[in-house]
């Protein structure tokens, strides 16, 4: 295996090396690149505004929906939606505010008052002032204008920044630990990823503060430079995510075991008295550990932090998906607050915040009650809801919500109803 020194790397070899890093970075950071985009057409925006102002039918309200509710610290948008609605993902239709505020729950804060209006057979939820003010019915822009930072974008457009105590959609402790752990890479990124090849003083295991050495794949040396990544995730034993319908490998789930910083890149040398060229591995420092690391573990470019606004909403197109795998210690059945992967991703229009129903496929049966055998297909059984919080290109991770029975690999995932 012949490696090139960083000082005399030909231009034609630099392109594949850059392509490698770009491919790995794209594979590791697929979710954030798509997560912040909500492709809404002008016609869809107009429809959303009209629906929000119209409200929802009274029969959609939860039986004990309160007329007035004061937002408390520790609340979440999903919990409040469930307080008012039988189907919480329809909260934008209940919310009688402008469209921008419908899609931005970060303008809701502890102490504010929610007022439920019932009129002409429909219900609307208005955001009032802070508890204790003389006018609970004034909107957030009037009641809290002195507490919200306003940033001028142009002479005619202003954006209001959320305060630090903005109400979250979900309680972050349910999914925050997960966001720092697995990544999904494709087969190319997995094949070309650099590996840890040696340790100092023949250590078997590595942890924070240790130094180690890494080599890129043949033809793709791990080099340093002003435009090259310095920080990497270390991951181990990637698990294939297999589509339960097509049996196709959708990607590889790579558990994150630590972080490393590149100190010096790869180079080459020759042994004394020989013309044979030998690789000099890159030097890395271990700067974080979730588990002990070892030679053979792979390196992937540290991805950007995922977008953290998990606004729940129903998809605007049909979804036909399946549960691919469970994350964590789940063996056979997943339940409330467990994390699952589904076989649809950003290329299928899946977004952060999509709420979907999970169904147990109905089994084939035969009716013999009339004395004649009649084949039939029993209906699917609804098990609960899930919400997508981290989509990749071909798979997405979701948190199970309101699950009444255990979820299995292969269960159907579709639009909520």
């Amino acid at each position: 295996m012949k490696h090139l020194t960083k000082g005399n790397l030909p231009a034609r070899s630099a392109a594949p090396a850059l392509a490698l890093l770009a491919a790995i970075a794209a594979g590791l950071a697929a979710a954030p690149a798509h997560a912040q985009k909500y492709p809404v057409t002008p016609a869809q925006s107009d429809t959303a505004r009209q629906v929000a102002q119209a409200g929802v039918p009274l029969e959609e309200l939860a039986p004990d929906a309160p007329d007035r509710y004061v937002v408390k610290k520790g609340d979440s948008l999903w919990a409040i939606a469930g307080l008012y609605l039988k189907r919480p993902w329809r909260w934008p239709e209940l919310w009688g505010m402008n469209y921008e505020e419908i899609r931005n729950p970060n303008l809701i804060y502890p102490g504010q008052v929610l007022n439920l209006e019932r009129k002409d057979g429909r219900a609307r939820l208005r955001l009032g002032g802070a508890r204790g003010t003389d006018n609970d019915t004034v909107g957030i822009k009037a009641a809290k204008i002195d507490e919200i930072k306003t940033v001028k974008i142009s002479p005619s457009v202003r954006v209001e920044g959320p305060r630090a105590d903005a109400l979250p959609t979900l309680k972050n402790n349910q999914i925050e630990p997960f966001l720092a752990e697995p990544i999904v890479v494709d087969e190319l990124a997995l094949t070309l990823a650099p590996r840890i090849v040696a340790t100092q003083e023949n250590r078997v295991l590595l942890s924070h503060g240790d130094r180690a050495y890494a080599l890129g794949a043949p033809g793709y040396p791990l080099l340093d430079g002003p435009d090259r990544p310095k920080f990497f995730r270390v991951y181990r034993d990637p698990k294939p995510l297999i589509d339960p319908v097509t049996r196709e490998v959708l990607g590889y789930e790579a558990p994150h075991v630590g972080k490393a910083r590149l100190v010096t890149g790869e180079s080459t040398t020759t042994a004394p008295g020989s013309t044979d060229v030998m690789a000099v591995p890159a030097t890395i420092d271990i700067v974080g550990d979730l588990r002990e690391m070892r030679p053979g573990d792979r390196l992937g470019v540290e991805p950007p932090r995922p977008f953290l606004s998990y606004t729940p909403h129903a998809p605007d197109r049909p979804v036909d998906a399946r549960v691919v795998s469970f994350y964590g210690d789940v063996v056979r059945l997943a339940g409330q607050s467990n994390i699952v992967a589904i076989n649809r991703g950003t290329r299928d229009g899946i977004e952060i915040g999509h709420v979907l129903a999970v169904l147990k496929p109905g089994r084939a049966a035969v009716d013999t009650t009339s004395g004649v055998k009649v084949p039939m297909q029993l209906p699917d059984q609804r098990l609960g809801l899930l919400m997508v919080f981290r989509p990749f290109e071909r798979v997405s991770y979701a948190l199970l919500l309101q699950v009444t029975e255990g979820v299995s690999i292969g269960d159907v995932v579709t639009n909520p109803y």
Side-chain angles (χ1 to χ4, degrees):
M1 178 175 67
K2 183 175 181 180
H3 289 261
L4 300 167
T5 64
K6 58 183 178 181
N8 64 359
L9 183 67
R12 63 181 182 179
S13 297
L18 291 173
L20 160 66
L21 294 176
I24 295 176
L28 304 187
H34 295 272
Q36 301 187 49
K37 298 178 182 178
Y38 291 95
V40 180
T41 65
Q44 290 172 326
S45 296
D46 291 341
T47 301
R49 290 188 182 94
Q50 294 168 8
V51 171
Q53 292 300 325
V56 297
L58 292 178
E59 56 266 25
E60 288 287 339
L61 289 179
D64 300 322
D67 293 329
R68 183 176 183 273
Y69 181 76
V70 179
V71 179
K72 302 187 299 294
K73 184 177 180 181
D75 277 340
S76 69
L77 180 63
W78 181 260
I80 291 177
L83 184 66
Y84 280 97
L85 291 171
K86 295 176 181 177
R87 297 188 285 180
W89 63 89
R90 295 190 61 178
W91 69 271
E93 299 172 34
L94 178 69
W95 215 269
M97 298 188 297
N98 65 56
Y99 182 69
E100 287 73 21
E101 288 175 349
I102 289 173
R103 293 302 293 268
N104 186 2
N106 293 324
L107 296 182
I108 308 168
Y109 307 94
Q112 289 178 334
V113 178
L114 307 179
N115 299 300
L116 182 64
E117 298 177 357
R118 295 177 173 90
K119 184 178 180 181
D120 300 329
R122 303 189 75 82
R124 301 170 188 82
L125 194 63
R126 304 287 185 182
L127 185 60
R131 178 173 53 184
T133 63
D134 294 331
N135 186 2
D136 275 347
T137 61
V138 295
I140 179 174
K141 293 180 181 178
K144 292 292 183 180
I145 194 67
D146 59 331
E147 298 184 35
I148 300 174
K149 180 181 179 183
T150 300
V151 181
K152 188 173 183 181
I153 303 299
S154 73
S156 59
V157 178
R158 291 179 181 270
V159 175
E160 293 174 341
R163 292 171 13 206
D165 60 342
L167 193 69
T169 304
L170 291 176
K171 294 183 178 179
N172 285 343
N173 61 357
Q174 292 178 295
I175 54 180
E176 189 72 16
F178 174 86
L179 294 176
E181 294 190 13
I183 51 180
V184 174
V185 295
D186 61 25
E187 189 169 6
L188 175 63
L190 184 65
T191 301
L192 299 182
R195 294 173 181 266
I196 297 176
V197 294
T199 64
Q200 277 194 331
E201 300 174 353
N202 294 320
R203 290 177 181 267
V204 176
L205 299 174
L206 296 163
S207 58
H208 185 277
D210 288 338
R211 175 155 288 189
Y213 306 98
L215 281 175
Y220 298 91
L222 179 58
L223 304 175
D224 60 353
D227 298 324
R228 296 182 180 276
K230 285 286 188 184
F231 291 92
F232 297 82
R233 284 188 176 183
V234 183
Y235 57 96
R236 172 181 305 151
D237 300 332
K239 178 182 75 173
L241 298 174
I242 301 173
D243 191 308
V245 178
T246 67
R247 308 309 300 171
E248 178 186 11
V249 175
L250 302 173
Y252 293 84
E253 182 181 271
H256 170 209
V257 294
K259 293 184 180 182
R261 179 176 62 87
L262 181 63
V263 179
T264 59
E266 286 186 46
S267 60
T268 59
T269 188
T270 56
S274 172
T275 59
D276 294 337
V277 178
M278 296 185 297
V280 178
T283 300
I284 61 173
D285 284 340
I286 304 301
V287 295
D289 55 7
L290 297 175
R291 283 180 280 173
E292 291 179 313
M293 285 145 275
R294 61 190 181 217
D297 288 346
R298 295 173 170 89
L299 302 180
V301 178
E302 176 76 8
R305 186 175 179 82
F307 183 52
L308 297 179
S309 181
Y310 314 110
T311 307
H313 56 290
D316 60 0
R317 66 185 73 183
V319 174
D320 180 16
R322 298 293 185 276
V323 174
V324 171
S325 70
F326 307 139
Y327 185 76
D329 299 327
V330 179
V331 177
R332 193 173 65 88
L333 295 174
Q336 186 87 8
S337 299
N338 285 150
I339 291 167
V340 299
I342 64 173
N343 64 342
R344 295 291 182 268
T346 54
R347 74 172 186 177
D348 308 296
I350 299 297
E351 300 175 0
I352 286 180
H354 268 169
V355 176
L356 300 165
V358 187
L359 312 174
K360 180 73 65 181
R363 61 182 176 85
V366 177
D367 174 25
T368 59
T369 58
S370 64
V372 179
K373 294 183 177 181
V374 179
M376 58 183 179
Q377 178 72 38
L378 298 181
D380 295 342
Q381 175 190 353
R382 176 170 156 160
L383 304 176
L385 298 172
L386 60 76
M387 195 191 79
V388 173
F389 67 88
R390 193 170 185 191
F392 290 85
E393 183 182 6
R394 304 179 70 191
V395 297
S396 299
Y397 289 99
L399 182 71
L400 291 174
L401 304 167
Q402 300 180 348
V403 175
T404 56
E405 293 189 32
V407 173
S408 303
I409 292 174
D411 282 349
V412 175
V413 177
T414 187
N415 301 68
Y417 59 87

